[in-house]
Amino acid sequence: MKITALIENTSCSSDIAHEHGLSLYIEACGKKLVFDTGLGSNFAVNAEKLGIDLSAVDFAVLSHGHFDHGGGLREFISINKTAPVYARKMAFDPHYSQRPDELFYNGIDMAFPETGRVIFTEREFNIGGGFSLFSEVPPYEPVFSSSRTQLEVIDGENVPDRFLHEQNLVINENGKYALIAGCAHSGIYNIITRFREIYHCDPGLIVGGFHLMIPNLGKSLPDEEIDELAAKLAAMKGTRFYTCHCTGKYAYERMHDIMGSQVKYLSAGESLEF
């Protein structure tokens, strides 16, 4: 299994674009897929520079309905003429973020399903061939305050987002499990807990954003919350973690102080193998 960050908040090189967004290119189980598409076309520009042919991708997964993960969907379908896109139906509903001085629309193009390329997924969904998805993660523990500024619309009212539009990708390659998250708005440890309930083990690899940064305020969660999460993850001795995007570099460095080489940062243009 090989995972390459096509776009992320940071870059490994001045030749590789970066932005506040996420897109991963994954080769596993004999398939090629794209997990999220960032803000726009930069993920595709980087793919070309990295020698990755997006037209040969077998399928795409949208982790949730925010613009920094699905903004490049139309770019993807213009390049790739056949690959289905697996998404939650609610991902195309309106979503907002409460900023200090404004209500900001952070949803994606709600007309996208009209292309006929989207396959709407259930709470648990088997893509086949070693790939599956799960969503609707219960709040076993309260979600971090960094996710509480996110809103959805119910009966015309803006209310706290339940993140029913968020889903997580599981890859089982030769008995080795990898868990891929977009922003982990539901809480990365809640997501891990749900994974354990479904698959009765711990994943050997976890990749994605952990949402330990509050983009609206430009700061990370309190140190004690970061440290508590890092200690829980460090106890998963058989699991490797690669984080990025909404985790934030400050939170990553603090986690690294506790977890050591068990956690690494994945910048745009970098790859990992598992």
Side-chain angles (χ1 to χ4, degrees), residues 4-11 16-25 34-44 46 62-64 66-72 106 108 181-183 185 207-211 213 215 243-248 265-269:
T4 300
L6 295 181
I7 202 70
E8 197 271 323
N9 297 38
T10 65
S11 173
I16 299 297
H18 62 92
E19 65 188 21
H20 179 82
L22 181 65
S23 178
L24 304 174
Y25 171 75
V34 165
F35 182 90
D36 290 342
T37 59
L39 285 170
S41 62
N42 278 333
F43 83 102
N46 284 348
L62 175 63
S63 68
H64 62 295
H66 287 166
F67 72 114
D68 52 336
H69 292 256
N106 66 347
I108 58 177
C183 270
H185 283 292
V207 181
F210 297 166
H211 219 269
M213 180 178 65
T243 194
C244 52
H245 182 46
C246 54
T247 297
Y265 198 92
L266 186 67
S267 293

Side-chain angles (χ1 to χ4, degrees), residues 46-110:
N46 284 348
E48 186 173 1
K49 290 180 179 179
L50 294 168
I52 294 171
D53 182 6
L54 294 180
S55 69
V57 163
D58 295 293
F59 65 91
V61 171
L62 175 63
S63 68
H64 62 295
H66 287 166
F67 72 114
D68 52 336
H69 292 256
L73 279 174
R74 287 197 178 275
E75 179 72 13
F76 175 74
I77 65 169
S78 73
I79 296 171
N80 186 302
K81 307 301 183 183
T82 59
V85 178
Y86 294 94
R88 296 284 285 167
K89 186 174 183 180
M90 297 79 85
F92 299 95
D93 291 342
H95 295 95
Y96 294 88
S97 178
Q98 182 63 63
R99 292 182 172 180
D101 55 352
E102 66 174 337
L103 190 64
F104 176 75
Y105 181 76
N106 66 347
I108 58 177
D109 186 350
M110 290 183 287

Side-chain angles (χ1 to χ4, degrees), residues 12-231:
C12 70
S13 165
S14 59
D15 294 332
I16 299 297
H18 62 92
E19 65 188 21
H20 179 82
L22 181 65
S23 178
L24 304 174
Y25 171 75
I26 302 172
E27 295 176 313
C29 304
K31 299 292 184 180
K32 301 173 182 179
L33 64 135
V34 165
F35 182 90
D36 290 342
T37 59
L39 285 170
S41 62
N42 278 333
F43 83 102
V45 173
N46 284 348
E48 186 173 1
K49 290 180 179 179
L50 294 168
I52 294 171
D53 182 6
L54 294 180
S55 69
V57 163
D58 295 293
F59 65 91
V61 171
L62 175 63
S63 68
H64 62 295
H66 287 166
F67 72 114
D68 52 336
H69 292 256
L73 279 174
R74 287 197 178 275
E75 179 72 13
F76 175 74
I77 65 169
S78 73
I79 296 171
N80 186 302
K81 307 301 183 183
T82 59
V85 178
Y86 294 94
R88 296 284 285 167
K89 186 174 183 180
M90 297 79 85
F92 299 95
D93 291 342
H95 295 95
Y96 294 88
S97 178
Q98 182 63 63
R99 292 182 172 180
D101 55 352
E102 66 174 337
L103 190 64
F104 176 75
Y105 181 76
N106 66 347
I108 58 177
D109 186 350
M110 290 183 287
F112 183 79
E114 296 175 2
T115 62
R117 297 276 294 277
V118 178
I119 296 175
F120 293 128
T121 59
E122 305 297 331
R123 186 183 187 206
E124 294 177 32
F125 187 89
N126 182 27
I127 296 174
F131 301 94
S132 56
L133 299 159
F134 69 91
S135 56
E136 299 183 35
V137 172
Y140 305 99
E141 299 177 356
V143 299
F144 288 129
S145 58
S146 52
S147 288
R148 294 179 199 152
T149 59
Q150 308 300 316
L151 306 172
E152 63 177 319
V153 180
I154 298 179
D155 297 329
E157 298 290 331
N158 293 319
V159 298
D161 201 327
R162 298 165 295 169
F163 302 112
L164 300 180
H165 58 103
E166 182 177 64
Q167 61 182 355
N168 307 280
L169 173 66
V170 177
I171 306 172
N172 178 2
E173 186 173 54
N174 300 321
K176 297 193 303 181
Y177 283 95
L179 170 62
I180 316 297
C183 270
H185 283 292
S186 301
I188 188 61
Y189 204 74
N190 287 335
I191 291 169
I192 291 168
T193 300
R194 182 60 183 149
F195 176 95
R196 288 167 169 165
E197 288 182 348
I198 299 171
Y199 300 96
H200 309 292
C201 65
D202 278 347
L205 174 70
I206 297 178
V207 181
F210 297 166
H211 219 269
L212 305 182
M213 180 178 65
I214 311 173
N216 297 345
L217 301 179
K219 65 179 184 180
S220 293
L221 290 176
D223 290 350
E224 56 269 22
E225 293 186 41
I226 298 171
D227 294 352
E228 181 181 359
L229 173 64

